[in-house]
Amino acid sequence: MSVNCAKRGTITGGDKDTLAPVLKVSLPKNYTTHFKDKIIKLTFDEFVKLKDINKQLIISPPLEKSPRILPLNASKTVSVEFLEDLQPNTTYNLNFGQSIQDFNEANPYKNFKYVFSTGAYIDSLSVSGTVRDALSKQKDKDLSILLYEVDEKYQDSLVYKQNPRYITTSADTSGVFNIENVKAGKYMLIGLKDENQNHRFDPKSDKIGFLNTPIGLPSNEVFSLRLFKETAPFKAFKPIQNSGVSAFIGYDGNPKGLQVQLKKNKEIYPHKISQINGKDSLQLWFKPIKLQKSEVDSLEIDLNNGNYKQSFTFKIRNQKSDSLRISPVQAKILGLNENISLNSNLPLSKINEQKIKITAKDTTVALPFEIIYDEMNLNVQFKFKKEPQSKYSLKIAPEALLDFFDHSNKKPLLYEFETKNISDYGNLRLDVENVKQYPIIIELTDKNGVVQYAQIALQPGTINFDLIKPDLYTLRIIIDENKNGQWDTGNYLQKIQPEEVIYFPKSIDIRANWDVQQTFILKQ
């Protein structure tokens, strides 16, 4: 007798389905004219499902009411029901993106467009181009490109409150766009990073790009848009007490140039202002007010920034106050082109240089130094001459640092640093050619776009970056049109474009003990 053992295995069910669903019938037919229906029905050869339909489906011109789209579950038919009257003599383009997928394997029916006209013909013109961020090299996706018809009713303010005539998206990070089925005419071309997805420009949240003049269609021109975030007009919000001696002041816009006057019972009251790192908030510091536990007092603050003037009165209650704390920015290694940098948690009112000493290792000879105090950022720096491969000590004696509240460091502070050898750094020799105007700002950023080194060139000549930490850097040039030493954004209503930023196409590889010679020829 023989015994056969069954071989164990897994039933695979055949090859995986990789085919997209096929559209069998559309009612009415695609590219129909004289369209009068309320419902479009699309029937496929297999069961399909909808994925991210509200995000994927782009309807141009946009509708005030989103259509009702079914099915919610698997079906062979997708229906689109319009919930409002359509415009007469208008070509509509419904781009489904990749929202229609087969039910089992999610194979998408890619970039399906359903086009129809409520008039006698289908508009056939198109607008193409690219859209990118005006400053950052990082590429956004899901950008909106809008066309507003320039007629007797057109105003620039329409972008804030009205849907465009035509719309499309740049779905991937290439920034390439193409608006199809457009009729002949004049249009204002707008690009948006539309955070609210409402087809309108919300300056607080959205980035915008635009052309200063309307475009005329038909046209074979390829257009380019640069997106930027507008700087809002300065506006402050009512202070909120944070501690016994401070309050937060939130704001919109740029606080540079802000003048602050603090009053108590109509009398000027001492105060300091600093920036809260990483937030659109200032910290208002004021002298302690002696209150009983149940007492409440108030302070009045007057804010003045250009044309902006505002006064607030806010309540003060007894709260805990902090003691002075000092922390070093550097850990142990001090760059040869860096200053020793310390942060404080409270504003300083006096720094006694006689009680501060910088010495090299194994010596007692004090090195000369310069103190640089940045009150807005609560930062104090010590600038002195450094030598390679050396060790330094910063000694701060008790009561050398006096804060705004007349408290000082009670204990001595000691910070020790060391420098590396010159051979641990690299150097960059940069020649920039074909510059259309000076000054220019030359910046080296890290992989996250944070500026690590910067210089301003006022005229042609080699720009030298010495003692750079080894790394891969991104090089960019800013055309500083208003000569203020920084990149400036744009303004839509004032038709101000952001300052031009030009990126070097490759990373700059800085290696230890290397001199890199690079020429950057700017394109006009």
Side-chain angles (χ1 to χ4, degrees):
M1 180 179 70
S2 62
V3 178
N4 292 324
C5 295
K7 183 178 181 181
R8 295 186 179 181
T10 302
I11 299 176
T12 63
D15 293 336
K16 181 178 179 180
D17 179 14
T18 59
L19 299 177
V22 175
L23 180 63
K24 304 295 287 186
V25 178
S26 59
L27 294 174
K29 290 183 178 181
N30 206 352
Y31 293 93
T32 288
T33 56
H34 299 293
F35 184 95
K36 300 187 184 321
D37 295 77
K38 284 290 186 181
I39 298 179
I40 298 169
K41 290 189 176 183
L42 308 171
T43 301
F44 294 84
D45 66 337
E46 60 179 311
F47 285 96
V48 297
K49 60 183 179 181
L50 300 176
K51 182 179 180 181
D52 297 331
I53 185 66
N54 292 328
K55 181 179 180 181
Q56 292 269 339
L57 177 61
I58 303 297
I59 300 177
S60 183
L63 303 172
E64 291 294 334
K65 297 179 181 179
S66 297
R68 183 182 293 115
I69 303 174
L70 297 174
L72 299 178
N73 298 309
S75 173
K76 288 189 176 183
T77 299
V78 174
S79 65
V80 179
E81 180 181 0
F82 297 109
L83 303 180
E84 62 185 76
D85 292 334
L86 302 178
Q87 301 176 36
N89 300 314
T90 300
T91 298
Y92 283 85
N93 186 323
L94 282 65
N95 191 327
F96 286 82
Q98 301 189 60
S99 60
I100 301 175
Q101 304 178 350
D102 72 47
F103 183 73
N104 291 319
E105 300 295 341
N107 297 310
Y109 187 51
K110 293 183 179 181
N111 300 319
F112 170 62
K113 293 191 307 178
Y114 183 89
V115 181
F116 65 87
S117 174
T118 55
Y121 57 89
I122 301 287
D123 292 318
S124 58
L125 299 180
S126 64
V127 178
S128 61
T130 59
V131 57
R132 62 177 177 85
D133 191 277
L135 176 64
S136 174
K137 199 174 184 180
Q138 182 178 350
K139 296 180 179 179
D140 288 321
K141 63 178 182 177
D142 297 326
L143 302 176
S144 297
I145 296 86
L146 322 175
L147 280 179
Y148 283 86
E149 192 169 15
V150 178
D151 54 19
E152 66 279 359
K153 297 180 181 179
Y154 175 79
Q155 296 177 339
D156 284 333
S157 60
L158 292 181
V159 69
Y160 299 98
K161 55 190 177 183
Q162 185 171 305
N163 283 343
R165 176 72 178 184
Y166 300 100
I167 183 171
T168 191
T169 61
S170 176
D172 57 28
T173 59
S174 69
V176 175
F177 67 83
N178 188 40
I179 306 178
E180 298 179 317
N181 303 114
V182 181
K183 71 175 182 179
K186 290 177 62 178
Y187 298 91
M188 187 60 72
L189 178 62
I190 303 288
L192 283 184
K193 178 60 177 175
D194 189 6
E195 299 290 351
N196 298 328
Q197 298 184 1
N198 60 357
H199 311 316
R200 300 174 190 186
F201 177 37
D202 300 313
K204 284 189 176 183
S205 58
D206 298 344
K207 289 190 290 187
I208 189 170
F210 60 92
L211 301 180
N212 284 9
T213 57
I215 64 173
L217 297 183
S219 172
N220 293 323
E221 186 175 353
V222 177
F223 300 98
S224 178
L225 298 172
R226 295 182 294 147
L227 296 181
F228 61 90
K229 185 78 164 52
E230 284 189 350
T231 298
F234 181 81
K235 177 183 178 182
F237 303 99
K238 187 173 183 178
I240 301 173
Q241 188 177 4
N242 172 53
S243 72
V245 293
S246 69
F248 290 153
I249 306 175
Y251 64 85
D252 289 335
N254 187 348
K256 186 177 181 180
L258 178 66
Q259 298 178 358
V260 178
Q261 192 174 75
L262 191 64
K263 298 177 182 177
K264 185 176 186 297
N265 299 327
K266 305 298 182 181
E267 298 292 331
I268 301 299
Y269 200 71
H271 74 278
K272 297 282 188 181
I273 288 286
S274 65
Q275 177 74 50
I276 298 178
N277 188 30
K279 295 184 179 180
D280 291 337
S281 293
L282 299 172
Q283 192 148 8
L284 170 69
W285 306 92
F286 46 85
K287 294 290 188 178
I289 300 174
K290 294 182 179 180
L291 299 171
Q292 299 297 324
K293 287 187 177 181
S294 58
E295 284 186 329
V296 177
D297 207 334
S298 62
L299 291 172
E300 181 181 339
I301 185 170
D302 296 329
L303 303 173
N304 189 333
N305 192 350
N307 295 326
Y308 177 84
K309 293 177 174 58
Q310 181 66 57
S311 297
F312 296 104
T313 299
F314 60 102
K315 302 294 183 182
I316 297 297
R317 294 177 172 83
N318 260 333
Q319 291 189 24
K320 184 179 179 181
S321 301
D322 289 332
S323 57
L324 179 63
R325 296 191 306 275
I326 303 295
S327 58
V329 173
Q330 292 97 348
K332 277 287 186 182
I333 302 300
L334 182 63
L336 287 170
N337 52 8
E338 291 181 336
N339 300 325
I340 294 177
S341 181
L342 305 179
N343 288 333
S344 67
N345 65 318
L346 301 174
L348 301 177
S349 59
K350 184 178 180 181
I351 302 174
N352 190 340
E353 294 185 32
Q354 303 304 316
K355 294 187 176 184
I356 299 173
K357 192 174 184 181
I358 298 177
T359 59
K361 184 183 179 182
D362 300 330
T363 70
T364 58
V365 178
L367 300 173
F369 61 87
E370 175 188 352
I371 293 177
I372 305 169
Y373 180 54
D374 180 359
E375 184 170 278
M376 180 61 78
N377 293 294
L378 301 183
N379 175 264
V380 57
Q381 295 189 28
F382 301 87
K383 182 178 180 180
F384 68 103
K385 185 178 179 181
K386 294 167 286 296
E387 298 295 336
Q389 288 185 302
S390 299
K391 294 184 178 181
Y392 297 94
S393 295
L394 170 64
K395 300 174 183 178
I396 302 177
E399 300 183 348
L401 305 177
L402 184 70
D403 68 28
F404 177 62
F405 309 105
D406 299 324
H407 301 137
S408 60
N409 58 303
K410 299 301 181 183
K411 297 180 180 180
L413 303 174
L414 174 63
Y415 304 103
E416 295 182 334
F417 305 94
E418 59 183 88
T419 59
K420 293 183 177 182
N421 198 350
I422 290 178
S423 61
D424 291 318
Y425 298 90
N427 302 306
L428 172 63
R429 309 285 177 250
L430 180 65
D431 291 302
V432 184
E433 297 181 2
N434 208 21
V435 178
K436 63 182 179 181
Q437 69 179 74
Y438 285 90
I440 59 173
I441 304 170
I442 307 96
E443 294 181 336
L444 295 175
T445 74
D446 62 18
K447 62 181 180 181
N448 297 316
V450 178
V451 177
Q452 299 299 310
Y453 303 94
Q455 289 196 39
I456 296 176
L458 302 177
Q459 59 189 12
T462 300
I463 300 111
N464 296 314
F465 287 90
D466 296 323
L467 301 174
I468 301 175
K469 295 177 182 178
D471 205 345
L472 283 176
Y473 293 96
T474 297
L475 168 64
R476 68 186 181 195
I477 304 292
I478 297 171
I479 308 300
D480 188 14
E481 294 182 5
N482 61 1
K483 302 178 174 59
N484 67 348
Q486 65 182 25
W487 178 78
D488 288 285
T489 187
N491 184 280
Y492 168 69
L493 284 181
Q494 296 176 29
K495 291 294 181 283
I496 298 174
Q497 294 288 345
E499 289 183 331
E500 186 177 2
V501 181
I502 307 167
Y503 278 88
F504 189 68
K506 298 179 181 179
S507 296
I508 303 294
D509 187 5
I510 301 297
R511 301 186 185 184
N513 204 28
W514 275 35
D515 284 329
V516 177
Q517 184 74 41
Q518 184 64 63
T519 299
F520 189 178
I521 303 175
L522 305 187
K523 294 181 180 180
Q524 296 296 330

